[in-house]
Amino acid sequence: MPGFELWSDVERKHLNDVVQSGVLMRYGFDGNRNGHWKAKELEAAINNYYGCKYSQLVSSGTAALSTAMSALGIGYGDEVICPSFTFVASFEAIVSVGAVPVLVDVDDTLTLDPAAVKAAITPKTKCIMPVHMCGSMADMDALQAICKEHNLILLEDACQAIGGTYKGKKLGTIGDAGTFSFDYVKTMTCGEGGVVMTNREDVYISSDGYSDHGHDHLGADRGADLHPFIGYNFRISELHAAVGLAQISRLDDFLTIQKRNHAALKTILSQIPEISFRRIPDADGDSCSFVCWFLPTAAATQAVVDELKAQGILAGNFYWFNNNWHYIRKWDHLKNAVTLNALSPELKEKVMYHANKDFSASDAILSRCICTAISLTWTDELLKEKGDQIAAIVKKVLSNVAVTA
Ligand SMILES: *Cc1c(COP(=O)(O)O)cnc(C)c1O
């Protein structure tokens, strides 16, 4: 899954360019930087690789979501529909701009259920934010149709789907804007970093200013720039961009290995008839960072997880249903609206609404799902050994009628 697994001399070379010049900042200092503009070059490489018109690098995927929402004019009173299964960053970013997160059920794609989205639309809904979880995509045709019908913004959280596509288009470039995270464990890493991608010039210009204190970046003298609106500092550093520049040049290789290892593991698991797999709206577009598989019952799934743990091989197999960071069940801080600073009373009430909301449809999916992360460093032998171990555990558990009833 993550690019950090294949750290190489290419990353060292780009980093060394920056270390040699000592210009660690992306803006200015033209005379000292020996012609190296790592952030600018990475943005050009992103536009080229992913096929979007504009991209704005920032300091994290979370910052990219906050920046994109601000640039799209999402704020006070606006409702943003996002899934119950995602990383906490998705709702953090919504709350950070003062908007209301409206979490709805996922289906067997492990992403937004379009019917649940439709049912959640109110006159305050401004944006639908699908999250392409675990390398694969939401049903973008259905979501685009809903956005069109209700005149809503489509913002893709593609942080986990670097290199994935939907009907030939790269995930993250289909909506009004899309984001990637380049944190340490993502398919392509900068160490820390993120990007807003868009085909809309207005969204790009606003993202560019918002992530750098509102600078208009029009003149050669940074100190003389105007600030047409209030921004923040979500800048990426040249050191982080240098790592990303190396990683994007190697991304095709990462994805080739990922797809090969994914196919081999899936083949082994497919031999067990009781195992089914996540539905993928466009199978050719899976980035293949995880194999996500279902067992017939929650009890059987829990028993498999327990056995993986007992045998010391749970690492890399994610049971999101019981996970603190990725599923609403354990987000007590969200359900209790625990913040360090006061939220507006209306926002607080709407956030706390999630404490009693029915997520049984999501529970029914996630309680039976295990996602196995695909490593880029597996040898053929190791892969077969892992697959056979998991298969043996599943067979053992399924032979116990108590958990399959
Ligand atoms: C990683 C991730 C983010 C946030 O990225 P950071 O760079 O860690 O801030 C947002 N959404 C999803 C789905 C993620 O997996």
Side-chain angles (χ1 to χ4, degrees), residues 59-63 65 86-87 89-90 131-133 157-160 179-183 186 192-194 326:
S59 52
S60 72
T62 313
L65 286 169
T86 179
F87 182 52
S90 308
V131 185
H132 305 303
M133 281 300 275
D157 178 344
C159 289
Q160 291 200 10
T179 63
F180 287 148
S181 162
F182 300 133
D183 79 19
K186 297 302 205 276
E192 297 284 1
H326 293 81

Side-chain angles (χ1 to χ4, degrees), residues 101-338:
V102 176
L103 278 65
V104 306
D105 280 320
V106 295
D107 60 21
D108 59 348
T109 64
L110 304 181
T111 66
L112 279 179
D113 173 2
V117 170
K118 265 193 195 163
I121 290 174
T122 74
K124 300 237 172 194
T125 307
K126 177 110 175 209
C127 173
I128 297 177
M129 185 166 97
V131 185
H132 305 303
M133 281 300 275
C134 304
S136 174
M137 78 294 302
D139 181 344
M140 293 303 284
D141 279 351
L143 296 176
Q144 276 183 305
I146 297 171
C147 285
K148 203 167 172 195
E149 185 186 337
H150 296 272
N151 194 24
L152 303 173
I153 292 166
L154 184 59
L155 169 61
E156 300 174 77
D157 178 344
C159 289
Q160 291 200 10
I162 294 173
T165 58
Y166 178 77
K167 301 195 173 171
K169 284 190 190 151
K170 293 277 198 298
L171 299 176
T173 68
I174 300 166
D176 292 278
T179 63
F180 287 148
S181 162
F182 300 133
D183 79 19
Y184 193 55
V185 297
K186 297 302 205 276
T187 304
M188 160 186 157
T189 186
C190 289
E192 297 284 1
V195 69
V196 178
M197 294 175 290
T198 183
N199 292 313
R200 283 176 51 177
E201 189 183 23
D202 61 327
V203 173
Y204 164 65
I205 290 174
S206 295
S207 298
D208 175 64
Y210 187 79
S211 56
D212 185 23
H213 303 293
H215 275 266
D216 65 6
H217 296 140
L218 291 178
D221 175 2
R222 189 172 162 74
D225 276 353
L226 296 179
H227 30 71
F229 52 81
I230 295 175
Y232 295 93
N233 177 3
F234 293 143
R235 292 189 304 260
I236 195 167
S237 81
E238 284 288 275
L239 285 167
H240 293 94
V243 176
L245 204 46
Q247 291 256 308
I248 201 170
S249 75
R250 306 175 64 214
L251 186 54
D252 279 339
D253 292 342
F254 296 172
L255 291 168
T256 303
I257 299 168
Q258 197 158 272
K259 284 179 186 175
R260 192 191 64 204
N261 290 354
H262 180 278
L265 183 67
K266 193 168 175 184
T267 302
I268 296 174
L269 296 180
S270 302
Q271 284 157 12
I272 301 176
E274 291 89 347
I275 289 184
S276 59
F277 295 92
R278 160 195 209 170
R279 181 163 60 85
I280 298 181
D282 175 6
D284 293 339
D286 188 356
S287 79
C288 294
S289 51
F290 288 85
V291 178
C292 293
W293 43 287
F294 298 105
L295 287 167
T297 65
T301 314
Q302 183 64 59
V304 165
V305 170
D306 292 345
E307 189 60 27
L308 287 165
K309 194 167 183 190
Q311 296 195 19
I313 53 169
L314 185 61
N317 295 290
F318 294 91
Y319 187 39
W320 305 115
F321 185 62
N322 241 339
N323 173 291
N324 286 342
W325 294 94
H326 293 81
Y327 185 50
I328 184 137
R329 228 173 121 236
K330 296 226 170 152
W331 292 341
D332 289 337
H333 62 326
L334 175 79
K335 292 187 261 190
N336 296 320
V338 183

